[in-house]
Amino acid sequence: MSAPAAPALWRLLPAGSYAGRARMMMVRSATASRRTWLAFVSGFFEPLFYLLAMGTGLGSLVGDLPGPDGQPISYAAFIAPGLLAASAMNGAVFDSTYNVFFKLHYARLYDSMLATPLGPVDVALGEIGWALLRGGLYATAFLSVMAGFGLIESPWALLALPAALLVAFAFAAIGMAATSFMRSWQDFDLVTLAVLPMFLFSTTFYPLSVYPRWLQIVVECLPLYHAVELMRGLTTGVVGAGLLGHLAYFVVMVVVGVVIAARRLDRLLLR
Amino acid sequence: MSDALVQARGLRKSFGAVEAVRGIDVDVAPGEVFGFLGPNGAGKSSTMRMIACVSPRSAGTLSVLGMDPGVDGPRIRARIGVVPQLDNLDAELSVRENLEIYGRYFGLPRRHVKEKAAELLEFAQLTERAGDTVEELSGGMKRRLTIARSLVNDPELLLLDEPTTGLDPQARHLLWDRLYRLKREGVTQIVTTHYMDEAEQLCDRLVVMDGGVIAAEGSPAELIGRYSTREVLELRFDPEHRPTAEALERHAERVEELPDRFLLYTVDGERTHGDVVGAGFVPLSSLVRRSSLEDVFLRLTGRTLVD
């Protein structure tokens, strides 16, 4: 019933807000998704359609592109890891912004949970955890498809799954933190404004070298760029110390996101 | 009262510059049904949220089940049940799942919540609707489900925030019956309401709140005895021949003038009616009734409760 022995991270979180039962939130989400399985399944098809349309269609015009180590790879093999990263981002952002905002302000779902021993930290971790589980399933399915199309060049690709989970965790945490500041649905235009250009320009569809230097620097600051480069390195088997830098980027995102989200939820829910 | 389930001293809650609760003392004894009565904005819900450990107090002391909500929130919440003012059922779950999943939030084992859910569906007369989604239920059914949900952890203390607001009379009576059954089982209840009849039906003891403070405290009968007379004579006059309140005052202990009628507080309504007519005032209509908490509230605040 009381919070488990507190590791360092928990000390940044509001006291008495964690019952150690975030798992029950995920049980709830799983139960609810049985009713909305279609929406659940649709999340898998989006990256698949992009892969077919762009990889096969556009790929026949584009031909080969230079991979991370300069060796030419097929266009489909180039964009597939990008799409994997982007779908991890999109799923996590959607779950942690629109869905959370609705539950927070309209369904008053979290208010009902706070009448139980659950606290805001359970809520935040439970929702992020569910977004992760979902993202993990999509990533597994997409990686299988990539393998089926022969787009995986290295056993390192197995690590793309945990990497996708970390990416999803980071975006879910930041998304939830951002949602806690939103006041109306209009504010969600900002989410689209952030996510769509990131999807298009973060070397998802073409390499960084096509941009002028100043734009390259901008792109290099974007989180999705680091996700795409991380995935591409793993699925093509070009693994170096640089990947650790990308990983670090997401670890920082996770910590910042979780701390802000939990603190803000605490203020929003425990008025 | 050291064995009180809830004890508040000088309890305050402010939101910025607005003080919703301005220093109240409350004791709720085990097994009793305790009421907060007052108009909207009196501070009832803010007080309830503090007791439910979802709203930190601004000042004063508060103990719930012998613990401090500021320190032991999760541990207190594990032992209380909450029925919020607005239903917040989980629309993505079925009626049965609403109970089962809610039980899991309390850390109860799956098998236990399954049995408990079946029992509570029976209690709320919703067994036939167990597989429906929440949206398909009527307002009264949703309310019963919310109350059933609040019982999933066998709470020692039940907090009901305006449990019957917006329900039709039939649904209200069914709910009152359920709450009465819980009382007989020994569940302590704290109820807020702005309905007089509800407070008189349900509460052993209540406080009248107004403007964030407690205006009076006692059992419904005590409050009526202290602040009102046994009977009330209600008189309506033709506007052309409406007497002044002063003219009526010598026939009753006290007179309240409302826009559409006079209330004459008296021991014997029939006799007062005779006196008034004898003095030459002929009302369009008259009604003799027992004093109610509405009269207490009017006396204490100079306003009717629900306008």
Side-chain angles (χ1 to χ4, degrees):
Chain A
M1 208 144 312
S2 61
L9 178 60
W10 301 136
R11 285 199 209 113
L12 291 170
L13 300 174
S17 301
Y18 183 53
R21 223 169 271 148
R23 197 166 54 85
M24 290 309 159
M25 288 274 310
M26 295 172 68
V27 171
R28 182 239 158 229
S29 296
T31 311
S33 72
R34 283 202 303 230
R35 222 171 287 279
T36 53
W37 61 272
L38 194 62
F40 192 87
V41 171
S42 70
F44 163 68
F45 286 101
E46 192 184 295
L48 185 61
F49 289 154
Y50 269 107
L51 183 62
L52 292 176
M54 308 291 235
T56 322
L58 205 57
S60 64
L61 300 174
V62 174
D64 287 356
L65 281 181
D69 55 353
Q71 295 295 312
I73 55 174
S74 75
Y75 187 61
F78 181 84
I79 63 167
L83 291 170
L84 179 61
S87 83
M89 171 184 80
N90 283 331
V93 166
F94 187 82
D95 263 337
S96 66
T97 57
Y98 291 91
N99 287 353
V100 165
F101 189 78
F102 180 78
K103 290 177 193 168
L104 189 61
H105 294 289
Y106 291 86
R108 293 186 302 276
L109 184 69
Y110 303 141
D111 284 318
S112 75
M113 291 170 174
L114 289 196
T116 75
L118 299 185
V121 176
D122 296 279
V123 169
L125 290 180
E127 289 292 52
I128 292 171
W130 174 248
L132 275 191
L133 188 70
R134 222 170 119 161
L137 290 175
Y138 294 153
T140 308
F142 191 75
L143 278 167
S144 314
V145 170
M146 281 175 69
F149 279 108
L151 301 176
I152 286 178
E153 327 244 316
S154 150
W156 283 101
L158 281 177
L159 288 182
L161 178 59
L165 288 181
L166 178 67
V167 168
F169 193 174
F171 277 105
I174 290 291
M176 203 161 184
T179 302
S180 70
F181 289 98
M182 299 200 185
R183 302 189 153 261
S184 75
W185 291 111
Q186 272 80 45
D187 293 339
F188 284 92
D189 292 340
L190 295 172
V191 175
T192 314
L193 196 64
V195 166
L196 189 65
M198 207 144 62
F199 175 54
L200 293 174
F201 299 116
S202 298
T203 71
T204 320
F205 296 107
Y206 32 81
L208 193 64
S209 54
V210 303
Y211 297 123
R213 184 58 200 148
W214 66 269
L215 192 53
Q216 288 181 359
I217 294 171
V218 173
V219 169
E220 278 167 348
C221 293
L222 299 176
L224 186 60
Y225 164 77
H226 293 274
V228 171
E229 292 302 309
L230 180 60
M231 297 300 173
R232 193 167 284 144
L234 290 170
T235 60
T236 56
V238 184
V239 173
L243 294 191
L244 292 176
H246 298 315
L247 280 177
Y249 190 104
F250 291 106
V251 170
V252 171
M253 255 174 98
V254 164
V255 172
V256 171
V258 166
V259 169
I260 294 179
R263 288 191 166 182
R264 286 285 306 167
L265 276 184
D266 214 64
R267 277 191 45 193
L268 284 176
L269 292 172
L270 302 179
R271 274 169 294 125
Chain B
M1 225 189 282
S2 59
D3 61 342
L5 276 193
V6 176
Q7 188 176 64
R9 291 291 176 268
L11 185 61
R12 284 172 185 273
K13 178 76 199 181
S14 34
F15 300 96
V18 183
E19 252 198 325
V21 181
R22 301 188 297 158
I24 59 170
D25 296 349
V26 175
D27 291 279
V28 181
E32 79 174 332
V33 177
F34 185 89
F36 285 100
L37 185 70
N40 292 329
K44 308 185 301 279
S45 293
S46 299
T47 306
M48 286 293 251
R49 285 177 54 85
M50 286 190 278
I51 297 173
C53 316
V54 290
S55 174
R57 62 182 182 267
S58 304
T61 61
L62 177 64
S63 114
V64 181
L65 302 169
M67 292 177 274
D68 178 349
V71 180
D72 286 312
R75 208 172 311 176
I76 297 172
R77 294 201 300 261
R79 289 166 55 190
I80 64 179
V82 176
V83 177
Q85 201 173 106
L86 299 168
D87 289 319
N88 53 15
L89 295 161
D90 196 329
E92 291 179 79
L93 301 177
S94 73
V95 169
R96 184 195 304 280
E97 286 163 355
N98 256 282
L99 297 173
E100 290 182 356
I101 297 286
Y102 207 71
R104 303 296 302 282
Y105 296 156
F106 285 91
L108 301 169
R110 194 192 305 259
R111 237 197 38 220
H112 175 83
V113 294
K114 234 184 165 66
E115 285 167 18
K116 193 74 199 171
E119 179 192 322
L120 289 171
L121 284 170
E122 203 58 46
F123 171 83
Q125 299 187 343
L126 287 170
T127 305
E128 280 89 71
R129 311 297 297 266
D132 291 0
T133 61
V134 169
E135 243 88 303
E136 297 168 72
L137 300 182
S138 72
M141 289 175 180
K142 283 185 191 167
R143 212 61 192 142
R144 292 201 313 264
L145 181 57
T146 305
I147 291 180
R149 189 185 67 176
S150 73
L151 299 171
V152 78
N153 57 329
D154 293 306
E156 293 155 62
L157 173 66
L158 191 57
L159 305 176
L160 302 124
D161 198 355
E162 303 197 1
T164 67
T165 297
L167 295 187
D168 61 49
Q170 229 176 339
R172 295 180 77 198
H173 281 282
L174 184 57
L175 266 185
W176 287 345
D177 171 67
R178 290 299 180 264
L179 296 180
Y180 187 68
R181 274 169 52 176
L182 289 172
K183 174 182 158 60
R184 273 189 317 194
E185 288 165 22
V187 179
T188 309
Q189 300 173 39
I190 302 180
V191 186
T192 76
T193 182
H194 55 238
Y195 294 122
M196 297 298 148
D197 53 344
E198 181 158 276
E200 294 192 48
Q201 283 272 343
L202 296 176
C203 300
D204 300 315
R205 218 156 50 81
L206 56 91
V207 292
V208 178
M209 276 189 89
D210 189 40
V213 296
I214 289 175
E217 177 180 354
S219 70
E222 275 168 21
L223 287 172
I224 292 167
R226 202 179 318 150
Y227 295 101
S228 192
T229 51
R230 200 170 73 96
E231 294 193 337
V232 185
L233 171 64
E234 296 197 8
L235 297 177
R236 278 167 217 269
F237 288 93
D238 179 349
E240 314 264 296
H241 301 100
R242 189 180 160 112
T244 60
E246 289 74 39
L248 296 172
E249 237 153 32
R250 60 195 183 86
H251 301 291
E253 287 183 27
R254 199 161 57 81
V255 175
E256 288 285 351
E257 185 173 7
L258 301 181
D260 61 332
R261 67 207 137 117
F262 289 102
L263 304 182
L264 279 70
Y265 291 91
T266 170
V267 182
D268 186 343
E270 286 300 340
R271 219 171 96 189
T272 306
H273 181 246
D275 294 349
V276 169
V277 174
F281 305 114
V282 184
L284 282 180
S285 67
S286 60
L287 166 77
V288 175
R289 59 168 174 81
R290 309 279 297 203
S291 262
S292 71
L293 284 174
E294 178 84 42
D295 301 299
V296 173
F297 189 78
L298 189 62
R299 171 75 186 275
L300 288 170
T301 68
R303 297 179 276 122
T304 47
L305 196 63
V306 193
D307 14 46

